[in-house]
């Protein structure tokens, strides 16, 4: 009952905010090169490491590499939640999932959240569209002029995106288009594990070729082993509760290597499809003057720490690719740069960044910040002191079963805490230990660092009205 009341109150406040927001940002249609056309390419389950331009081995992504050569790649970009629907609601609203009661897949069916990214751009004078997977309430337009909603068809994403982009109009366009081939790894895992029924089903976008001989499979990741002092709730409660989500829990090393091989092939196929769309834009002389942003809603464990799928707060799950290609002549001297220093929220910072390029003020209730300064100058000051991600473990059929967690990422450290079980906290030095293999919470010399990150999380909880109340107290 308490939860329902909170949802109703949040929805009412958001609805009221929509009226204020709409009236305060409406403007005459924009036109001309001063206001760029904007394309956001959103993928599903593409981990931040799986790009050849950032040093990934056994994965080749020439299309996204070329996009990065024309813009800036952020290697410390994170989702707000490593779960599909919470991440997408967060992207569309610029708010944290838990703040809106959207903690796990399926929760959004209970209410409709406004204002949205679509509202902002539509009321700014853009022709707005969404192509492909929304994974949101299907009856809502989300403030968009055009919604073409479908799943698991990247070829159609190319076609529908070009249909929208090439449409005659007297104002600039804003389009979010979705690519999903990397998400097929979830089904591939179930096939590898001979999961009942699904082992005979085809991958949504077609089968992969047969895997190569074992000696040609990629090696296990360097951080394949489960970290010492890992929070007990992950393997003792979460994994057993969701066998369909985590079917490789008892897999041998050869199976994990094939899983990692398959993930690389799926990412490569998606990269080729994205490349086809980008080349069509170049051929039509549209590419140079557009703002193009590539990101993913979350990653996949891909065998790191013997984890497949998402939801966990390890890097492979929660860190995502983020590439921003600015319009021509806006930051050109810094093009082709890889930003390895700044921590950014790929989801929360998206709306403020796009608003910055569209020359409109972002809604005041947003928690993200424009990272345009970081795109246009390598010498810009940091936008964030820290960023936060959250998770609630659950599934469509079962909802969540009470396991929640939070992550705080600063330029050097990463702090994780779950709400139950033994060894609830983890602390990693991401400069010395990017694979998250050595937990520093058990080392006395890191007590001050641990307490600082707890303080950051408490600050964030108060700022966002987060329901998470299990940050450990500092020892005296």
């Amino acid at each position: 009952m308490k939860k329902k009341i909170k949802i109703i109150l949040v929805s009412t406040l958001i609805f009221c905010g929509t009226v204020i927001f709409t009236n305060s940002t409406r403007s005459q249609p924009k036109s001309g090169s001063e206001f760029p056309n904007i394309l956001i390419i959103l993928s599903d389950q593409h981990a931040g490491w799986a790009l050849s331009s950032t040093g990934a081995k056994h994965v080749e992504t020439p299309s996204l590499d070329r996009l990065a050569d024309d813009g800036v790649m952020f290697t410390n970009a994170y989702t707000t939640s490593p779960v599909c629907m919470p991440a997408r609601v967060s992207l569309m609203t610029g708010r944290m999932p838990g703040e809106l009661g959207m903690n796990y897949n399926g929760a959004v069916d209970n209410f409709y959240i406004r204002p949205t990214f679509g509202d902002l751009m539509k009321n700014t004078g853009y022709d707005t569209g969404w192509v492909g997977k929304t994974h949101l309430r299907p009856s809502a337009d989300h403030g968009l002029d055009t919604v073409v909603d479908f799943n698991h068809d990247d070829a159609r994403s190319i076609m529908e995106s070009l249909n929208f982009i090439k449409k005659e109009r007297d104002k600039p366009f804003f389009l979010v288009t979705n690519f999903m081939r990397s998400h097929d790894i979830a089904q591939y895992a179930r096939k590898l594990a001979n999961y009942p029924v699904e082992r005979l089903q085809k991958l949504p976008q077609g089968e992969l070729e047969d895997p190569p001989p074992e000696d040609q499979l990629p090696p296990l990741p360097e951080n394949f082993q489960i970290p010492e002092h890992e929070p007990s709730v992950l393997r003792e409660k979460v994994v057993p509760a969701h066998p369909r989500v985590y079917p490789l829990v008892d897999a041998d090393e050869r199976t994990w290597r094939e899983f990692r091989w398959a993930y690389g092939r799926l990412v490569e196929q998606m990269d080729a499809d994205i490349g086809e769309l980008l080349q069509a834009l170049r051929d039509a002389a549209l590419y140079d003057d557009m703002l193009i942003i590539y990101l993913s809603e979350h990653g996949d464990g891909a065998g790191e720490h013997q984890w497949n799928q998402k939801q966990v707060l390890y890097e492979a799950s929660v860190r995502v690719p983020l590439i921003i290609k600015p319009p021509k002549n806006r930051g050109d001297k810094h093009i082709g740069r890889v930003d390895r220093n700044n921590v950014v929220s790929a989801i929360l910072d998206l709306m403020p960044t796009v608003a910055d390029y569209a020359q409109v003020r972002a809604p005041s209730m947003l928690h993200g910040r424009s990272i345009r300064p970081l795109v246009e100058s390598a010498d810009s000051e940091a936008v964030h002191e820290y960023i936060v991600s959250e998770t609630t473990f659950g599934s469509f059929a079962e909802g969540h079963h009470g396991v929640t967690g939070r992550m705080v990422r600063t330029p050097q450290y990463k702090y994780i805490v779950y709400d139950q079980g033994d060894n609830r906290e983890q602390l990693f030095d991401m400069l010395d230990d990017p694979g998250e293999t050595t937990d520093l919470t058990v080392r006395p010399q890191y007590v001050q660092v641990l307490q600082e990150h707890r303080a950051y999380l408490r600050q964030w909880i108060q700022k966002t009205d987060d329901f998470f109340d299990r940050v450990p107290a500092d020892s005296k």
Side-chain angles (χ1 to χ4, degrees):
M1 182 66 182
K2 198 172 183 180
K3 186 66 175 176
K4 287 184 179 179
I5 291 172
K6 180 178 180 181
I7 289 172
I8 292 169
L9 287 173
V10 169
S11 302
T12 302
L13 289 171
I14 292 170
F15 174 78
C16 293
T18 303
V19 177
I20 298 170
F21 167 75
T22 301
N23 291 337
S24 64
T25 62
R26 187 173 298 280
S27 63
Q28 295 299 314
K30 298 181 173 183
S31 61
S33 59
E34 184 180 0
F35 304 104
N37 293 319
I38 298 168
L39 173 64
I40 296 173
I41 303 174
L42 179 62
S43 64
D44 195 322
Q45 212 147 320
H46 184 190
W49 65 266
L51 290 159
S52 46
S53 57
T54 56
K57 299 178 180 179
H58 309 286
V59 182
E60 297 294 332
T61 54
S63 301
L64 290 172
D65 294 350
R66 183 176 178 185
L67 183 66
D69 287 342
D70 293 334
V72 175
M73 164 85 74
F74 292 88
T75 61
N76 293 325
Y78 292 83
T79 183
T80 50
S81 173
V83 188
C84 300
M85 295 177 78
R88 286 170 179 267
V89 167
S90 189
L91 182 148
M92 286 298 289
T93 63
R95 313 280 289 279
M96 289 299 288
E99 184 183 9
L100 302 172
M102 180 53 214
N103 308 315
Y104 55 90
N105 281 347
V108 77
D109 292 337
N110 296 322
F111 61 96
Y112 181 28
I113 302 166
R114 301 297 285 267
T116 67
F117 209 157
D119 290 319
L120 172 66
M121 302 310 294
K122 185 174 182 177
N123 292 316
T124 299
Y126 274 76
D127 183 18
T128 58
W130 184 290
V131 166
K133 175 181 179 179
T134 63
H135 215 169
L136 303 173
R137 185 175 178 180
S139 62
D141 63 9
H142 314 295
L144 299 161
D145 295 300
T146 302
V147 178
V148 186
D149 188 358
F150 57 89
N151 285 343
H152 301 292
D153 192 344
D154 289 357
R156 186 179 175 190
S157 288
I158 299 170
M159 178 188 70
E160 298 286 2
S161 296
L162 291 176
N163 287 343
F164 177 85
I165 288 169
K166 294 182 178 181
K167 183 176 67 174
E168 288 192 14
R169 54 172 62 84
D170 59 1
K171 52 187 174 181
F173 67 78
F174 166 81
L175 174 65
V176 180
T177 188
N178 290 260
F179 287 81
M180 291 194 61
R181 182 56 162 160
S182 49
H183 187 275
D184 287 1
I185 194 62
Q187 176 68 7
Y188 196 90
R190 290 188 278 272
K191 291 168 72 71
L192 269 177
N194 287 315
Y195 199 82
V197 180
E198 294 181 86
R199 67 178 182 272
L200 301 178
Q201 294 181 359
K202 292 183 178 180
L203 299 183
Q205 295 194 63
E207 294 298 286
L208 291 173
E209 69 271 23
D210 292 336
E214 185 172 355
D215 62 354
Q216 297 178 31
L217 291 171
L220 296 170
E222 294 181 1
N223 58 349
F224 176 70
Q225 298 302 322
I226 298 171
E228 191 175 4
H229 310 297
E230 182 186 73
S232 63
V233 71
L234 297 180
R235 315 284 168 167
E236 294 178 6
K237 185 171 184 179
V238 169
V239 171
H242 301 289
R244 183 177 177 273
V245 179
Y246 309 108
L248 298 182
V249 60
D250 295 321
D252 59 25
E253 292 188 359
R254 192 243 175 258
T255 300
W256 279 112
R257 290 176 63 194
E258 181 181 337
F259 177 78
R260 199 162 171 90
W261 165 85
Y263 188 61
R265 304 297 75 73
L266 294 170
V267 169
E268 289 175 349
Q269 291 178 12
M270 183 178 69
D271 177 82
D273 288 334
I274 292 171
E276 187 175 335
L277 172 61
L278 295 176
Q279 188 57 48
L281 297 178
R282 295 185 186 97
D283 294 342
L286 295 169
Y287 176 88
D288 286 346
D289 292 328
M290 291 175 64
L291 170 65
I292 302 177
I293 301 177
Y294 174 76
L295 74 158
S296 191
E297 59 183 17
H298 55 73
D300 185 279
E304 295 188 13
H305 307 309
Q306 299 177 41
W307 196 271
N308 75 284
Q309 284 269 19
K310 50 264 191 176
Q311 295 185 288
V312 75
L313 293 171
Y314 287 132
E315 288 287 276
S317 173
V318 78
R319 186 168 69 86
V320 297
L322 178 62
I323 302 170
I324 300 180
K325 184 207 80 69
K328 189 176 180 180
N329 299 322
R330 303 190 193 190
D332 283 359
K333 64 182 179 180
H334 298 285
I335 291 303
R337 179 165 44 87
V338 177
D339 187 319
R340 303 180 186 276
N341 300 316
N342 288 285
V343 292
V344 297
S345 177
I347 303 291
L348 292 185
D349 293 338
L350 186 63
M351 199 189 305
T353 301
V354 168
D356 197 349
Y357 279 101
Q359 301 179 52
V360 61
R361 181 178 298 177
S364 60
M365 78 282 287
L366 303 188
H367 304 306
R369 296 289 180 268
S370 171
I371 57 175
R372 179 178 177 178
L374 303 180
V375 174
E376 298 190 347
S377 174
D379 300 322
S380 291
E381 293 184 2
V383 171
H384 296 292
E385 186 176 13
Y386 64 91
I387 61 96
V388 175
S389 298
E390 62 183 53
T391 191
T392 296
F393 291 91
S395 68
F396 281 107
E398 302 160 22
H400 73 87
H401 52 81
V403 178
T404 63
R406 298 292 182 269
M407 178 205 82
V408 175
R409 178 69 158 89
T410 55
Q412 182 169 358
Y413 295 99
K414 179 177 177 180
Y415 169 70
I416 298 171
V417 58
Y418 294 99
D419 67 341
Q420 56 190 276
D422 298 326
N423 306 321
R424 293 195 298 117
E425 297 177 288
Q426 293 174 297
L427 179 68
F428 300 106
D429 186 330
M430 302 307 294
L431 300 183
D432 291 341
D433 181 27
E436 303 167 293
T437 61
T438 304
D439 180 11
L440 303 178
T441 61
V442 297
R443 299 191 177 186
Q445 61 267 40
Y446 289 94
V447 168
Q448 182 175 348
V449 175
L450 179 62
Q451 292 178 348
E452 288 173 353
H453 285 70
R454 288 172 178 167
Y456 286 139
L457 183 54
R458 293 189 189 101
Q459 180 185 66
W460 181 261
I461 288 169
Q462 183 175 11
K463 175 183 177 181
T464 63
D465 193 27
D466 191 345
F467 65 86
F468 191 84
D469 60 359
R470 294 286 289 152
V471 183
D474 296 332
S475 57
K476 295 181 180 180

